[in-house]
């Protein structure tokens, strides 16, 4: 079995409840959505559109050679995209093989847009699901981006969050409606300011902080942008 890989690198988790944790990122090729609007665009599209198939065992060896010492020291393994849930079977095989071959099971995070049902096998090997449902500020109809069956499945997973990108104050009304309609647990909700550069991130951060205070949600910044600005692969 093969993984279609766009890039991989060792960095710091910049978003969500594990923000600040040293992590190895594996970005997989492909996505089932195309986020683009006047205010918000996918910030990794030029990366995840490209990639190459790599046999799972060969890739596991390569990742272990580069980053095995970091996993043993507590670094997380983050599958991101694009939409990594397009390649669930290969992810499961990679994790199973790596854990058995190298006697090390990293803490595994999955970053997903919440539109693909997760397999039982995947749920057994994943430690944290970072779900980022796309609201209308991403430029698509909610019928495409909000899939109740998937959101409720992820909500039931003990260690999961829902991370919503906020571009303007009015976005919170739609977010709250999605939470209510899908009966999501409020303590799993994370708001994050839109922004693909330091200037835009700074402009939106205070607004999002106030929304978190008002609604009792968690706040996430984008640490990777604060540190490296628009640089990708860091």
């Amino acid at each position: 079995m093969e993984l279609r890989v766009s890039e991989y690198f060792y960095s710091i988790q910049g978003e969500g409840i594990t923000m600040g944790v040293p992590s190895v990122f594996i970005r997989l090729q492909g996505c089932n959505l195309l986020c683009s609007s006047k205010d918000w665009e996918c910030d990794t599209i030029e990366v995840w559109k490209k990639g190459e198939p790599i046999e799972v065992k060969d890739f596991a060896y390569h990742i272990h050679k580069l980053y095995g010492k970091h996993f043993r020291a507590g670094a997380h393994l983050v599958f991101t995209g694009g939409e990594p849930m397009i390649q669930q079977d290969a992810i499961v095989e990679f994790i199973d093989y790596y854990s058995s071959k190298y006697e090390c099971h990293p803490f595994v995070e999955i970053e997903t847009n919440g539109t693909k049902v997760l397999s039982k096998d995947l749920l057994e090997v994943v430690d944290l699901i970072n779900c980022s449902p796309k609201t209308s500020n991403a430029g698509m109809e909610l019928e495409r981006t909000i899939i109740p069956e998937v959101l409720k499945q992820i909500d039931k997973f003990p260690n999961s969050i829902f991370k919503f990108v906020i571009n303007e104050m009015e976005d919170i009304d739609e977010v709250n409606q999605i939470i209510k309609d899908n009966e999501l647990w409020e303590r799993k909700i994370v708001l994050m300011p839109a922004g693909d550069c330091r200037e835009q991130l700074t402009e939106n951060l205070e607004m999002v902080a106030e929304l978190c205070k008002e609604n009792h949600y968690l706040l996430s910044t984008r640490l990777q942008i604060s540190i490296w600005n628009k640089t990708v692969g860091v």
Side-chain angles (χ1 to χ4, degrees):
M1 189 174 290
E2 296 175 329
L3 278 167
R4 300 191 310 278
V5 180
S6 294
E7 66 174 349
Y8 48 91
F9 53 92
Y10 178 54
S11 188
I12 299 291
Q13 174 61 281
E15 303 173 3
I17 61 173
T18 56
M19 185 172 60
V21 175
S23 301
V24 174
F25 290 83
I26 297 177
R27 190 180 306 282
L28 300 184
Q29 182 183 17
C31 191
N32 61 327
L33 300 178
L34 184 59
C35 300
S36 180
S37 69
K38 64 182 181 65
D39 301 312
W40 200 90
E41 291 188 1
C42 177
D43 57 359
T44 57
I45 185 171
E46 295 305 320
V47 181
W48 62 251
K49 286 176 95 174
K50 304 172 184 177
E52 60 180 41
I54 307 176
E55 205 280 326
V56 164
K57 293 182 180 179
D58 293 340
F59 190 53
Y61 170 79
H62 187 63
I63 290 296
H64 177 69
K65 185 177 179 181
L66 288 175
Y67 309 122
K69 65 179 181 180
H70 300 307
F71 291 139
R72 295 193 183 280
H76 290 189
L77 172 60
V78 183
F79 286 94
T80 188
E83 178 45 57
M85 292 301 87
I86 295 173
Q87 302 187 53
Q88 291 187 52
D89 291 346
I91 290 174
V92 172
E93 181 165 319
F94 176 91
I95 296 170
D96 283 343
Y97 179 80
Y98 188 95
S99 301
S100 174
K101 176 69 175 179
Y102 302 108
E103 298 181 344
C104 174
H105 182 93
F107 185 99
V108 178
E109 298 186 34
I110 292 290
E111 298 186 342
T112 177
N113 60 31
T115 61
K116 295 289 185 180
V117 173
L118 279 60
S119 71
K120 179 181 177 181
D121 289 341
L122 183 82
L123 293 174
E124 289 178 350
V125 298
V126 168
D127 298 288
L128 172 64
I129 301 173
N130 299 309
C131 180
S132 298
K134 301 300 181 280
T135 59
S136 58
N137 65 16
M140 288 171 291
E141 301 83 3
L142 293 185
E143 289 76 12
R144 285 191 61 195
T145 64
I146 303 300
I147 310 300
E149 175 188 8
V150 180
L151 298 186
K152 291 176 181 179
Q153 181 193 33
I154 293 173
D155 191 46
K156 290 179 181 177
F157 187 78
N159 200 17
S160 59
I161 64 167
F162 296 94
K163 176 162 52 71
F164 291 91
V165 175
I166 302 294
N167 186 69
E168 55 188 22
M169 188 77 72
E170 290 73 18
D171 291 344
I172 194 64
D173 294 331
E174 187 173 86
V175 169
N176 284 335
Q177 192 63 51
I178 292 170
I179 293 166
K180 180 180 178 181
D181 290 345
N182 294 278
E183 301 178 327
L184 304 180
W185 191 26
E186 288 85 351
R187 292 187 64 183
K188 290 190 174 190
I189 306 303
V190 179
L191 303 185
M192 185 175 73
D196 62 357
C197 66
R198 288 175 183 151
E199 182 180 7
Q200 188 180 11
L201 184 67
T202 301
E203 288 178 358
N204 288 335
L205 187 57
E206 183 176 352
M207 171 191 67
V208 177
E210 291 301 323
L211 290 174
C212 287
K213 288 164 59 179
E214 180 179 347
N215 294 274
H216 307 104
Y217 297 150
L218 301 177
L219 172 67
S220 172
T221 184
R222 291 180 151 179
L223 191 59
Q224 72 277 19
I225 293 177
S226 297
I227 299 172
W228 294 290
N229 206 8
K230 288 189 172 186
T231 306
V232 296
V234 293

